Amino acid sequence: RRTKIVATLGPASDRPGVLERMIAAGVDVVRLNFSHGSADDHRRRLVEVREIATRLGRSVAALGDLQGPKIRIARFRDGAVELEQGQAFVLDVALDGEAGDAGRVGCDYKALADDVAPGDRLLLDDGRLVVDVTRVAGSEIHTTVVQGGRLSNNKGINKQGGGLSAPALTDKDKADLATAIDIGVDYLAVSFPRSAADMREARALLGSGGAEIGLVAKLERAEAVADDATLDGIIEASEAVMVARGDLGVEIGDEALIGTQKRIIKHARSHNRAVITATQMMESMIESPLPTRAEVFDVANAVLDATDAVMLSAETAAGDFPVETIEAMARVCLGAERERIAQESGHRIHEGFSRIDETIALSAMYAANHLAGVAAIACMTATGYTPLIASRIRSGLPIVGLAHNPVAQRRMALYRGVISLPFDTSEMTAGELNDRALERLVAQGIAEPGDHVILTRGDHMNAHGGT
């Protein structure tokens, strides 16, 4: 399977034996969701993941996910209310946080009254309820309910079209970022970035202690995808991006989401960045042992778009069938990857290149895809960069990243089509390197005697940029 699977950890994966079965079923990246649980919870889970992965001989990356400025209503005296279409409803940022009723509720984001104006549309609880702003008076935002229903405590608020001024990194995020460095995650996801500046701020906060952590931009604000320049800026400031379809779909509308998903994946790949497709991919499997046909097609569509990874959220964190969900997702990915469209590439075929390692990686993939008898592409790599570039080209062949650095090994676990293997060259002579690399591939069952393997390496091993 070329497409990687990201699985969120939580109470469901904490059940005895479940985490090991999840990793054995094919999890490539575990997601630690800092919106839930304590630092000790995340540390304990990651220690267990690393122990199981080592025992099973797998490279499994860890993705820490910052909560970001999730803008929420406060709480109701009775826990929930029913809103009727056409009724007046007030969001009051000065109201006591526990005093909500059928006519008004507080809000944890105090600047909301400054960010909205009459005529704006607000979406509550991921768009399940819709209200239109009629006037703003001091701390009170007066609205009319357009689409009613049950509204319970702490549900999210989005503004259609975007435009909320909340910073991407909250005080909680900064504390969680320090935890992420301390426990040793491989990637860190930043929620709700509006521009490349938000990603650069996160990079500065990581500092030297988090220098080896890759940043993932979660694209969920309308402003982030409003134009190609903003989108490309965010992509270039990150190691990977996530198509976070929940909040993004609420802000830009479901009808715009499918085209935006394809645009994000295409832009990420053209900028040599990894891309994760996320949210509700197999939502029905929270309570069902089988996915719906629509979910099967959704996952397959993302695979055919050439996403690097597909992500599971509540399905594996809190669902009844976490292992079965991973098995189902793996089957669907494999099925989609057998289609010819998933193995043909015209990626950057008419472009010139300025980097030697990039040119070599793409040349190797071109040769592999056109020469009969090639079993694999093997890249000796210090950082994982050459396998990343190679994986931007569609192929049916495995790309093997041979790395001495365990951080590079785990980082490659996110890249489409890349098998990450430990390969310590410190005791090898230059003349031995090729033979030892080929022996490693044969031992793994990736290649057999008589196969062609295309090998990329530098004259100086463990040195960045010498391919």
Side-chain angles (χ1 to χ4, degrees):
R1 172 171 50 79
R2 303 183 69 75
T3 310
K4 303 305 181 77
I5 295 175
V6 183
T8 304
L9 303 187
S13 63
D14 286 345
R15 298 196 294 262
V18 169
L19 183 58
E20 179 153 354
R21 288 170 59 213
M22 284 170 58
I23 292 172
V27 171
D28 300 289
V29 182
V30 295
R31 173 175 172 251
L32 306 170
N33 184 0
F34 288 115
S35 297
H36 305 284
S38 66
D40 287 342
D41 289 333
H42 301 310
R43 185 188 308 277
R44 167 182 55 76
R45 286 168 180 152
L46 185 49
V47 167
E48 193 177 354
V49 166
R50 295 258 159 90
E51 185 272 318
I52 292 168
T54 300
R55 185 153 36 82
L56 297 180
R58 296 280 313 283
S59 285
V60 177
L63 167 66
D65 193 340
L66 301 177
Q67 178 175 312
K70 185 72 176 179
I71 297 162
R72 301 178 185 276
I73 61 168
R75 300 170 66 82
F76 296 99
R77 283 197 202 100
D78 299 324
V81 297
E82 284 288 335
L83 298 186
E84 303 289 337
Q85 183 178 353
Q87 81 167 76
F89 188 68
V90 177
L91 298 166
D92 186 349
V93 298
L95 188 68
D96 181 297
E98 304 287 332
D101 58 30
R104 64 180 55 224
V105 72
C107 175
D108 64 359
Y109 175 53
K110 303 308 178 190
L112 185 65
D114 300 320
D115 283 355
V116 300
D120 285 342
R121 173 159 286 188
L122 301 178
L123 306 119
L124 311 177
D125 190 11
D126 290 336
R128 291 180 179 87
L129 293 91
V130 180
V131 301
D132 283 346
V133 178
T134 53
R135 66 187 179 93
V136 180
S139 67
E140 297 181 347
I141 302 160
H142 292 260
T143 75
T144 300
V145 177
V146 177
Q147 184 174 307
R150 185 175 186 272
L151 183 61
S152 56
N153 295 336
N154 304 123
K155 291 298 184 229
I157 304 173
N158 294 84
K159 179 181 170 188
Q160 193 169 72
L164 298 179
S165 62
L169 291 159
T170 65
D171 291 340
K172 172 178 164 44
D173 293 331
K174 291 170 185 175
D176 288 338
L177 183 143
T179 298
I181 295 172
D182 185 46
I183 66 177
V185 302
D186 303 296
Y187 291 98
L188 186 68
V190 177
S191 296
F192 300 100
R194 286 168 298 184
S195 67
D198 289 329
M199 302 309 296
R200 287 194 289 268
E201 181 187 357
R203 181 90 59 199
L205 289 168
L206 282 176
S208 58
E212 291 192 308
I213 295 174
L215 285 179
V216 180
K218 292 174 68 178
L219 297 170
E220 45 198 340
R221 276 181 158 161
E223 302 95 300
V225 299
D227 57 78
D228 286 350
T230 303
L231 174 61
D232 290 344
I234 293 172
I235 292 170
E236 288 175 358
S238 314
E239 274 70 42
V241 296
M242 183 187 296
V243 190
R245 304 181 305 179
D247 284 286
L248 183 62
V250 172
E251 290 212 356
I252 67 174
D254 289 339
E255 68 282 357
L257 190 58
I258 184 65
T260 300
Q261 172 176 312
K262 292 176 184 295
R263 181 165 65 102
I264 292 169
I265 293 172
K266 183 178 179 182
H267 280 242
R269 292 180 64 79
S270 70
H271 287 282
N272 297 326
R273 301 297 191 269
V275 56
I276 303 165
T277 305
T279 319
Q280 294 181 334
M281 298 215 81
M282 291 201 158
E283 184 93 345
S284 73
M285 288 194 74
I286 295 171
E287 298 173 338
S288 165
L290 290 171
T292 66
R293 287 286 178 271
E295 289 165 342
V296 167
F297 273 74
D298 180 37
V299 172
N301 180 57
V303 171
L304 295 177
D305 286 342
T307 190
D308 284 271
V310 284
M311 192 174 101
L312 297 163
S313 299
E315 299 98 329
T316 53
D320 295 335
F321 302 98
V323 178
E324 292 85 347
T325 305
I326 291 156
E327 291 169 344
M329 188 164 251
R331 284 195 306 271
V332 174
C333 291
L334 279 166
E337 287 164 6
R338 289 190 195 105
E339 293 301 311
R340 191 173 168 188
I341 186 177
Q343 301 179 19
E344 292 181 337
S345 182
H347 178 71
R348 303 181 72 186
I349 200 78
H350 301 297
E351 288 185 35
F353 303 109
S354 57
R355 292 183 55 144
I356 291 173
D357 50 3
E358 198 170 89
T359 309
I360 289 170
L362 295 174
S363 301
M365 292 304 296
Y366 185 84
N369 280 346
H370 290 79
L371 177 64
V374 175
I377 303 94
C379 308
M380 295 188 201
T381 179
T383 63
Y385 186 72
T386 303
L388 169 66
I389 300 296
S391 69
R392 300 308 83 187
I393 288 198
R394 295 174 191 249
S395 176
L397 297 169
I399 300 161
V400 183
L402 298 166
H404 174 48
N405 179 353
V407 175
Q409 284 170 39
R410 292 194 300 267
R411 285 273 284 270
M412 288 188 282
L414 179 60
Y415 305 156
R416 182 184 178 105
V418 175
I419 299 167
S420 165
L421 296 178
F423 190 67
D424 185 356
T425 60
S426 56
E427 303 297 316
M428 297 179 196
T429 65
E432 286 181 298
L433 288 173
N434 292 5
D435 290 342
R436 298 292 87 80
L438 295 176
E439 286 168 10
R440 189 83 174 84
L441 266 61
V442 171
Q444 286 295 129
I446 294 167
E448 296 177 1
D451 287 338
H452 290 311
V453 170
I454 295 183
L455 182 64
T456 72
R457 51 170 274 207
D459 291 333
H460 304 287
M461 286 307 296
N462 305 323
H464 176 43
T467 302

